[in-house]
Amino acid sequence: MSTTRADPAEHDPAQHAPAEHAPAEHAPAERDAAGPLDELTLTGLEVFAHHGYYAFEREQGQRFVIDTTLWLDTRAAATGDDLDRTVHYGVLAEQIASAAQSDPVDLIETLAERVAGVVLAYPTVARTRVTVHKPDAPIEVPFADVSITITRTQGAASTVQEAAGA
């Protein structure tokens, strides 16, 4: 039984892959063959950032709300009550917030890709669904929310730089 607490400042996703799992280069479908994957969900992570198409959005900044679901096998973590065999959601939240607050972009689609990249840096995560909400978007008619939802799979996700041809 693990009784130590992980230090978020020292967390390295690559160090926390369960030993009996295949390395990250294996296709997620192979992981699914062992049984259904579990879902870990982080909902309503709120960050203030300077993304947006318009100059005033980048200058003034605004709220973004991020939801993400991770598909992974948590049996080893549960059996051993071991945080090091799963994803530390507190650390993940900090990593997502940091990524979302850096380097302004025009589109919430780009921001969602960035967040998916953070999540998929964990080799134990087979798939992620990311929703980025922009509740204060500059829309002239009344609305409740605007968002983008993407789903990306370990090993199949291209980075924003690859997509941009860099």
Side-chain angles (χ1 to χ4, degrees):
M1 172 188 240
S2 175
T3 58
T4 59
R5 299 288 178 220
D7 179 357
E10 298 177 3
H11 183 73
D12 178 7
Q15 292 179 351
H16 298 288
E20 70 268 8
H21 277 237
E25 65 267 11
H26 287 240
E30 293 176 80
R31 293 183 194 178
D32 291 347
L37 293 173
D38 307 310
E39 294 180 32
L40 174 64
T41 302
L42 176 60
T43 305
L45 178 65
E46 198 167 313
V47 298
F48 188 86
H50 295 267
H51 306 293
Y53 179 77
Y54 299 108
F56 71 87
E57 292 180 288
R58 289 188 177 221
E59 290 166 10
Q60 298 170 9
Q62 63 190 298
R63 250 180 347 131
F64 294 86
V65 180
I66 301 169
D67 306 325
T68 186
T69 299
L70 296 62
W71 281 269
L72 67 164
D73 186 344
T74 63
R75 289 176 291 188
T79 300
D81 198 25
D82 187 354
L83 179 61
D84 289 338
R85 303 200 67 172
T86 188
V87 173
H88 186 309
Y89 49 79
V91 172
L92 178 63
E94 291 173 9
Q95 293 169 334
I96 291 171
S98 178
Q101 292 168 332
S102 68
D103 303 321
V105 295
D106 288 347
L107 305 176
I108 58 175
E109 292 85 346
T110 308
L111 182 55
E113 286 287 346
R114 182 184 295 170
V115 171
V118 168
V119 176
L120 292 173
Y122 288 85
T124 56
V125 176
R127 182 171 59 250
T128 186
R129 179 177 54 236
V130 174
T131 302
V132 174
H133 304 265
K134 190 173 176 182
D136 303 318
I139 298 174
E140 295 297 321
V141 296
F143 73 102
D145 190 21
V146 63
S147 65
I148 181 74
T149 299
I150 65 170
T151 302
R152 298 295 180 263
T153 302
Q154 187 73 262
S158 65
T159 64
V160 173
Q161 292 81 12
E162 289 171 351

